[in-house]
Amino acid sequence: MQTAFEINRTSRNVLLSFLDKYSLEQLNKIPDGFSNNLIWNIGHIIVVQQMLVYKLSGLPMMVSDEVVEKYRKGTKPEDEASAAEVAQIRDLLFKTIEQTQADYQAGKFNGTTFNGFTSMSGFTMNSVEDAISFNNYHEATHTGIMMGIRKFI
């Protein structure tokens, strides 16, 4: 699992570069032909990681219900993210994966009942290890979308 966590950390560094490079206006811009923006994709990535790893394991997530409702699958930006919200997302970007790795290494997921789940792409997760690994695919998919968005902002 060490490799999966290292891949996740690398992915999050790419996401951090978007937060560092683009203005609040650019992070919120939804280009023609797209249904979301850069900041929505980053928030979505954080929420889905928490849902896949913690919620499916029956454990409390590190993100609020409000954040989940705004960025979960099936949502799109309803209003612009504020500077405070971007700061919160920046804060969660690494805290969530660092805590996940610490919890995994401490055995927090041992003895939990993982609620199996099949993704829209057809990948079935039957364990927290499956969820951690699949999450990297999910993050890469959304990072690719963000690379498309950045060409139009």
Side-chain angles (χ1 to χ4, degrees), residues 26-42 44 71 75-78 142 145-146 149 153:
Q26 290 171 313
L27 290 170
N28 277 297
K29 181 171 177 56
I30 303 173
D32 290 341
F34 290 87
S35 60
N36 52 52
N37 54 33
L38 295 176
I39 196 62
W40 181 90
N41 276 279
I42 298 171
H44 174 74
Y71 295 104
T75 64
K76 62 182 181 179
E78 297 296 330
H142 282 276
I145 292 167
M146 292 171 63
I149 290 172
I153 61 167

Side-chain angles (χ1 to χ4, degrees), residues 70-123:
K70 187 166 186 172
Y71 295 104
R72 68 177 168 73
K73 177 184 156 205
T75 64
K76 62 182 181 179
E78 297 296 330
D79 51 20
E80 290 193 356
S82 66
E85 190 173 345
V86 172
Q88 177 188 30
I89 288 170
R90 178 187 294 271
D91 184 55
L92 289 169
L93 193 60
F94 287 96
K95 276 186 178 179
T96 51
I97 61 164
E98 289 166 0
Q99 189 63 52
T100 301
Q101 185 171 9
D103 288 346
Y104 183 82
Q105 291 171 338
K108 187 171 184 175
F109 298 97
N110 296 343
T112 63
T113 301
F114 188 86
N115 298 304
F117 176 75
T118 301
S119 72
M120 286 179 58
S121 61
F123 183 78

